[in-house]
Amino acid sequence: MSIDPSHVNDGTAYGASQLLARGAADDVCADRRVMAAIDDFFVAETARLDDRVRGGLAEALARLINAIEGELRQYAARLLIGRGEPELAERLVNDPMIVQAALRQAGLLQDGELMRELLARVRQEVLGEALSPVAPDDPDRPSLVARLVGSPDGVVATAATGLLAADARRWAAIDTGGAPRSDLPAELHHRLVWWSAAALRSLVLSPPSAALDRALTEAALRSLAAHDEGDRLEAAAVRLAAAIGAQPHELPDLLVESLGDRRVALFVALLAQALDFSYDVTRDIVLDPIADRLWLALRAAALDRAAIAAIGLALCEADPCRDVEAFADQIDAIMAVSPDAARQALSTLGLHPDFRQALMALIKAQRA
């Protein structure tokens, strides 16, 4: 079949030229895709994301960025209308969402701190959903957090109520497809807000619009001013653990019961307080399916065999990446580690985060 050149209009010619340009440039992109596929093939199975975590991570990232983008668009558009720029406001309100694609293309979403935080949070949520709720021996006995809400200690009751509120906000955001403004640590929220504002600036390519720049800047500053990382679920869990101030003889039952309540954040916070570790470090220990550090952490907190067995069984049943038979075979070796030896083995985890990162960088360089 031949094509009469006279039938080729300007639009078709433009499309053809674009195809030629993309095809010429795609040699490098195609090579990158092949290399990415090769890298993916050689990822160890113990490090590979399962479908639940991969899907949850994609959804969490989209919710978060879309929420920030929508907030910036709405407030900046409101400012522009008040300043006599209705066309710019119209674009901000009605143009398709662009920030996630722009940040992905720029490589900014590969930020290690951002993705580490989101990955840990998704894994925490997935684990919480998968844990089997444990029925109390007394069916009339309220759950752990419900009892804490009714505590005669006002500090504990207030902190427990705060945990319930923070948990409700996060799950409401997940169920409705939204995202709370304060759902990231302050530094990461700050980073994403300014990245999003920069991406939205590209809606007007040329010439630069001072009005748009001003409106986006004011919208970003407003978002930053309204941010309170203390509203996060993790921060609420840390406050509750501090309010409880679990004594060594109380800790095992609290840890086991928090998992039975599917309160992973509280479990992490209680263990972090007992070890004097940060929440983030302890969360990494708890969520890692290669659980050697967790067993050492539980021994460092002087947990007995029954408590460690209950925790290990609950985690193995909830996480298919964990081997319950291997755990059963390991329990004698776990209990043979003294609390002092376990604390010594994990001592670097309690260092200042910057100091610990510097030590890790040196170790990696020495092993390279």
Side-chain angles (χ1 to χ4, degrees), residues 247-263:
Q247 298 304 302
H249 69 281
E250 299 171 324
L251 183 64
D253 287 344
L254 286 169
L255 288 173
V256 171
E257 197 169 355
S258 62
L259 284 186
D261 262 2
R262 302 197 292 187
R263 302 284 181 183

Side-chain angles (χ1 to χ4, degrees), residues 52-322:
R52 296 178 305 165
V53 174
R54 184 182 296 274
L57 186 57
E59 291 176 9
L61 190 60
R63 283 196 311 268
L64 179 65
I65 294 174
N66 289 345
I68 292 174
E69 178 176 2
E71 184 179 87
L72 294 180
R73 282 177 180 258
Q74 290 296 324
Y75 190 70
R78 178 183 168 193
L79 293 176
L80 288 168
I81 290 173
R83 294 166 184 171
E85 296 282 355
E87 292 183 4
L88 280 177
E90 176 82 11
R91 294 204 64 178
L92 276 177
V93 171
N94 294 322
D95 274 16
M97 303 289 266
I98 63 163
V99 168
Q100 184 174 0
L103 299 187
R104 186 183 295 276
Q105 186 174 3
L108 294 176
L109 294 185
Q110 292 176 279
D111 179 87
E113 292 180 17
L114 173 64
M115 294 309 294
R116 177 186 286 272
E117 172 64 27
L118 289 180
L119 179 58
R121 197 171 77 190
V122 168
R123 281 177 163 158
Q124 180 176 288
E125 291 164 359
V126 168
L127 179 61
E129 287 185 300
L131 284 167
S132 300
V134 176
D137 296 333
D138 180 0
D140 295 326
R141 190 186 191 207
S143 68
L144 172 62
V145 176
R147 296 200 312 275
L148 295 174
V149 167
S151 170
D153 185 328
V155 175
V156 171
T158 299
T161 302
L163 177 69
L164 288 180
D167 190 53
R169 281 194 300 272
R170 176 163 295 176
W171 283 108
I174 293 171
D175 292 341
T176 61
R181 184 186 303 122
S182 59
D183 217 26
L184 277 179
E187 184 177 343
L188 294 180
H189 179 76
H190 184 278
R191 203 175 299 172
L192 263 184
V193 166
W194 286 117
W195 285 348
S196 299
L200 285 171
R201 188 180 191 269
S202 67
L203 285 172
V204 179
L205 298 177
S206 180
S209 167
L212 179 62
D213 288 348
R214 181 183 172 195
L216 287 173
T217 298
E218 291 183 36
L221 291 172
R222 174 178 178 265
S223 177
L224 296 177
H227 181 77
D228 182 0
E229 65 178 349
D231 287 341
R232 302 175 64 238
L233 171 63
E234 292 77 11
V238 169
R239 286 195 297 272
L240 178 54
I244 294 170
Q247 298 304 302
H249 69 281
E250 299 171 324
L251 183 64
D253 287 344
L254 286 169
L255 288 173
V256 171
E257 197 169 355
S258 62
L259 284 186
D261 262 2
R262 302 197 292 187
R263 302 284 181 183
V264 180
L266 180 56
F267 176 89
V268 172
L270 288 165
L271 184 58
Q273 187 194 47
L275 299 174
D276 198 22
F277 288 173
S278 72
Y279 182 94
D280 292 347
V281 165
T282 310
R283 180 175 60 183
D284 287 346
I285 292 172
V286 170
L287 297 178
D288 190 348
I290 306 301
D292 291 342
R293 293 186 303 168
L294 175 59
W295 309 142
L296 289 177
L298 297 178
R299 287 299 292 143
L303 264 66
D304 60 17
R305 186 186 189 96
I308 292 177
I311 291 168
L313 182 60
L315 293 176
C316 288
E317 288 180 343
D319 185 351
C321 294
R322 301 175 192 257

